[in-house]
Amino acid sequence: MSKTKVTHACQLCGAQFPKWSGQCSACGEWNSLVEEVIQSAASARYQGYAAGDPKMTRMASIALEADATRLATGLKELDRVLGGGLVIGSVVLIGGDPGIGKSTVLLQTLCHLSQSVNVLYVTGEESLQQVTLRARRLGLPEEHLLLLADTDVERILKLAQTERPKVLVVDSIQTMHTALLQSAPGAVGQVRESAAQLVKFAKQTQTALFLVGHVTKEGTLAGPRVLEHMVDTVLYFEGEQDSQYRLIRAVKNRFGAVNELGIFAMTDKGLREISNPSAIFLSRYKDPVPGSVIMAAKEGTRPLLVEVQALVDRSYMANPRRVCVGLDSQRLSMLLAVLNRHGGIATHDQDVFVNAVGGVRLTETGADLALLLAVLSSLRHRPMPTTMMTFGEVGLAGEIRPVQSGQERLREASKHGFKVAIIPHANAPKHPIGDMTILPAESLQQAIEHFTQCEEKSTTY
Ligand code: TYD
Ligand code: MG
C-alpha cells in the first residue's frame, strides 16, 4: 500500500498537492482537494487483460449482436427505462435518496435474473441475513442468487474474476473502498476510483454492472454525480418517500431514450409495476375544483396524464411567495410575468403555489399552459370542467408554441375520457381524435378566452 503514489488534486483548477488542505492555494477554492492515484501499484490495482499495443478496427468489420444481448429484468417498467431490457456489459448507476427502494428493486431484479444467468449481489450496507430476510419476505426465487458481503473492491473483483457473474450488483458505491487511497469510504476520491475499477472490469468481461449510489438533498456530497460520465445509464429514483409511488427516470442512457419514466408502487410485497400510470396521477374529483388542471405530459416515449394544481392567495408579504413542487420555479416566475403582460392578469400581490400531483417532476415546457390555466382558475375561483385537458408551451411574446407528439397526447387523453382540449394551434390534429373537441390557441389571450367560455358552460361538457 505504501508503494501507491497518491496526490491531492484540486477539482477546479487541477493543481496538485502532496497533502490535503481545506483550501486550494492555487485558485483559492475551499474544500476542492480530492485524493487521487497517480501511479497504480502493481500489486493492488485491477489489471484486467494485458493491454498490448493499440489496434484500429474498420467499422464495417464490427459485428453487432442482435437484441439477444438484452436481458429481461422481470419488471417491465424497469426494462422500459433501460431502453428495452438490461444490455449485457453495460454499467447502470441507480441513484436516489436513502430508503427509496434501490436495494429492493435490485434484489427483485437479481432474483429474477438468477433463474437464467449467473449473478452476484455484493452488499456493503446490509448483512447477508438482512438481504435474505427481505428476499424471503417478498417471496422471491432465491435458490440461485449468490451473495457477498464485502466492501473491498480488489477482493470483490478477485472473486468476480473467478466466478464470472453475468450480472453484478454493488450496493452501494459509497461503502466501497480501494486500498490505493487512504481516504475513508464515501470520499469523492474513493467513490471515483472504486467505480473506475468496477467499470473497467465490467467492460473487459462483458458483465452487466449495477452501481447503487445515494444522493443527498443537494445531490452533491461525494454522490453519484461524479460517476455519471463513467457509466452507460443513469437512473434516478423520484417521488416522495411518504407517497406509495416510486418513479425511476433515465437521465442518461446510451441504450435508450432519456427522460423515460418507469412507474412503480411500493407495496408490502416490494415494488410493483404500474401498467396504467395515467390513472394514478389524476386525483379525479366528483365535482370540478378550482385550481386543478389536467395536462398530457410526455416523459420519455410515453404520454402521461398529470394533474397540475395551483393555489393563488392574497399575499401579505413584501415579496409574494412562489412555491413549486415538481415544477420549475424560475419558469413559474417567467410565466406569471407573461400572464401579466399578455393576459392582463396581475399576480404581484398574490402568493402562488403550484404542484404536480403524485410526486412526478415535470421537466418539459409543455406544462406551461396547464400551469397558467391552473393559476387563472384558482385566482378566479372558477373550476375547469372535469372533462377538459391541455398542454402547450407559452413563449415570452405570449404566443402558444407547439410541443412534440401532440397527437399521442390527445389520444391518451381521449382514452381516459377527456372531451375538450385547449392546445397549441400548430398541434391541432388534421383528423378528429375520438369525440374530442379541440380548442386551438395561437396566443395566450386566445387560450384564456377558450378557458373563460368553458368555465361558463362547464355543465355542458
Ligand atoms: P430500500 O430498497 O432498502 O432502500 P434503499 O436501498 O434505496 O436505501 O427500501 C427500503 C424502504 O422500502 C423502506 O422504507 C421500507 C420500504 N419497503 C416496503 O415498503 N415494502 C417492501 O416490501 C420493502 C422490501 C421495502
Ligand atoms: Mg439500500
Side-chain angles (χ1 to χ4, degrees):
M1 214 175 93
S2 54
K3 282 197 209 105
T4 316
K5 245 181 126 191
V6 295
T7 178
H8 292 83
C10 173
Q11 300 301 294
L12 258 96
C13 67
Q16 301 202 340
F17 306 92
K19 279 214 168 68
W20 188 86
S21 65
Q23 188 184 22
C24 169
S25 55
C27 69
E29 182 69 24
W30 287 94
N31 291 326
S32 64
L33 297 197
V34 169
E35 194 186 21
E36 284 178 356
V37 183
I38 317 176
Q39 177 194 311
S40 56
S43 54
R45 193 170 204 187
Y46 170 67
Q47 296 290 331
Y49 301 119
D53 291 332
K55 203 167 135 260
M56 290 187 294
T57 312
R58 203 167 286 281
M59 194 187 236
S61 70
I62 295 176
L64 296 180
E65 284 146 66
D67 254 7
T69 51
R70 285 189 190 260
L71 295 173
T73 61
L75 287 167
K76 286 208 186 59
E77 287 292 299
L78 186 61
D79 288 346
R80 159 189 280 281
V81 278
L82 288 170
L86 177 63
V87 176
I88 298 286
S90 70
V91 181
V92 182
L93 173 68
I94 296 198
D97 298 338
I100 196 141
K102 301 179 295 294
S103 305
T104 308
V105 73
L106 288 179
L107 186 64
Q108 285 179 248
T109 303
L110 269 212
C111 283
H112 176 84
L113 286 171
S114 69
Q115 294 170 301
S116 49
V117 292
N118 256 351
V119 301
L120 176 62
Y121 186 102
V122 181
T123 169
E125 289 187 353
E126 293 166 293
S127 68
L128 298 181
Q129 284 75 15
Q130 281 173 305
V131 179
T132 311
L133 190 71
R134 179 182 303 176
R136 298 242 163 101
R137 200 170 54 70
L138 300 185
L140 298 172
E142 54 175 83
E143 308 83 64
H144 306 294
L145 184 65
L146 292 177
L147 295 173
L148 171 68
D150 207 332
T151 55
D152 185 319
V153 174
E154 283 83 20
R155 286 221 311 250
I156 293 169
L157 288 177
K158 204 166 142 202
L159 180 79
Q161 192 69 267
T162 50
E163 288 296 321
R164 280 310 178 84
K166 262 282 166 241
V167 185
L168 175 66
V169 167
V170 175
D171 184 3
S172 66
I173 191 68
Q174 270 100 350
T175 58
M176 296 297 141
H177 65 88
T178 161
L180 297 177
L181 300 176
Q182 278 99 48
S183 48
V188 182
Q190 282 284 2
V191 168
R192 198 164 48 195
E193 187 60 28
S194 304
Q197 293 195 49
L198 289 163
V199 169
K200 192 168 167 198
F201 169 81
K203 292 293 166 196
Q204 284 176 342
T205 57
Q206 284 290 298
T207 308
L209 170 67
F210 280 105
L211 296 175
V212 174
H214 296 293
V215 218
T216 53
K217 275 275 172 285
E218 302 80 37
T220 51
L221 210 113
R225 285 285 147 101
V226 295
L227 306 178
E228 281 181 1
H229 67 278
M230 289 192 209
V231 301
D232 298 310
T233 304
V234 180
L235 307 180
Y236 274 110
F237 265 93
E238 287 175 14
E240 291 137 21
Q241 292 254 358
D242 40 356
S243 123
Q244 165 192 23
Y245 299 110
R246 298 283 189 274
L247 292 90
I248 301 183
R249 187 189 293 268
V251 296
K252 165 182 174 180
N253 196 351
R254 291 191 181 140
F255 306 109
V258 286
N259 271 334
E260 191 69 80
L261 266 190
I263 300 167
F264 303 86
M266 181 61 98
T267 66
D268 57 345
K269 284 272 170 274
L271 284 166
R272 287 265 173 277
E273 52 206 356
I274 304 266
S275 46
N276 182 12
S278 282
I280 65 166
F281 295 113
L282 300 177
S283 54
R284 295 277 188 107
Y285 314 96
K286 257 216 269 53
D287 300 313
V289 184
S292 155
V293 165
I294 309 296
M295 74 161 291
K298 181 109 191 299
E299 295 291 334
T301 57
R302 162 168 71 182
L304 199 63
L305 295 177
V306 181
E307 180 185 343
V308 175
Q309 294 180 332
L311 179 70
V312 181
D313 191 22
R314 171 101 178 80
S315 177
Y316 294 95
M317 297 203 211
N319 285 322
R321 302 219 284 164
R322 309 277 181 249
V323 180
C324 288
V325 181
L327 293 143
D328 182 13
S329 57
Q330 297 279 349
R331 192 98 195 150
L332 174 66
S333 305
M334 191 197 95
L335 290 171
L336 292 178
V338 175
L339 186 65
N340 187 28
R341 281 300 296 272
H342 300 284
I345 294 158
T347 51
H348 57 81
D349 54 352
Q350 307 281 334
D351 286 332
V352 179
F353 305 90
V354 294
N355 173 30
V357 174
V360 66
R361 214 158 39 83
L362 296 173
T363 48
E364 59 156 355
T365 51
D368 291 355
L369 196 52
L371 213 150
L372 280 187
L373 293 183
V375 166
L376 196 60
S377 160
S378 175
L379 188 67
R380 292 178 173 170
H381 204 71
R382 303 285 290 275
M384 189 180 208
T386 46
T387 55
M388 185 161 155
M389 53 74 65
T390 185
F391 61 81
E393 180 180 336
V394 178
L396 283 182
E399 80 278 22
I400 307 288
R401 307 157 73 99
V403 293
Q404 49 140 327
S405 324
Q407 306 256 338
E408 240 180 286
R409 298 179 200 237
L410 288 171
R411 251 179 266 126
E412 176 78 4
S414 169
K415 206 167 82 190
H416 284 85
F418 287 87
K419 302 269 182 264
V420 194
I422 302 180
I423 59 166
H425 191 271
N427 276 127
K430 292 195 186 67
H431 308 290
I433 292 186
D435 53 354
M436 259 193 150
T437 310
I438 304 292
L439 304 174
E442 274 178 326
S443 63
L444 183 60
Q445 199 65 53
Q446 242 178 353
I448 293 175
E449 274 163 29
H450 284 319
F451 183 57
T452 313
Q453 278 165 18
C454 290
E455 279 177 344
E456 280 157 9
K457 50 183 177 181
S458 77
T459 44
T460 59
Y461 284 121

